[in-house]
Amino acid sequence: MIRWQGEDPNRLHAQEMALLALCDRMTVLEQALTIEIETRNQLTLEQARRLAKQHDTILEQREAILRLEDQVRRLDATVRSLG
């Protein structure tokens, strides 16, 4: 470990400067990580909303197909009864 140099109370020593630089860097990294996490959470929520909307659309389309199939069956039955 580097020994403290001089006893000037107004001067930061090399170790203190290194620790302050490390703290600054850790703060920047923490902020970047927080932004990444928040962005990922927002994207995840947006994807969940889109999936829910797609799910609802698929269910609506399925119901429409079932109604059409029922109409086709009834028309088929009507045609058979006339023919």
Side-chain angles (χ1 to χ4, degrees):
M1 181 182 266
I2 300 172
R3 295 196 178 269
W4 295 111
Q5 298 176 8
E7 293 299 324
D8 183 0
N10 297 322
R11 182 177 163 273
L12 288 177
H13 298 286
Q15 288 174 325
E16 292 171 315
M17 288 188 288
L19 286 173
L20 286 174
L22 180 60
C23 287
D24 288 343
R25 182 66 178 145
M26 291 299 292
T27 299
V28 169
L29 291 173
E30 181 182 19
Q31 291 169 348
L33 179 62
T34 300
I35 291 169
E36 287 292 323
I37 290 170
E38 289 174 356
T39 301
R40 186 174 190 198
N41 287 342
Q42 289 173 352
L43 290 173
T44 301
L45 289 173
E46 182 59 31
Q47 287 175 335
R49 283 188 208 107
R50 287 182 184 178
L51 285 173
K53 186 175 180 179
Q54 288 174 348
H55 180 263
D56 292 344
T57 301
I58 289 170
L59 287 179
E60 290 171 4
Q61 291 172 346
R62 182 177 182 270
E63 289 174 9
I65 289 170
L66 291 174
R67 284 192 301 273
L68 288 173
E69 287 176 344
D70 187 46
Q71 288 176 351
V72 168
R73 274 194 295 275
R74 282 189 273 137
L75 283 172
D76 228 10
T78 302
V79 168
R80 283 188 196 143
S81 68
L82 295 174

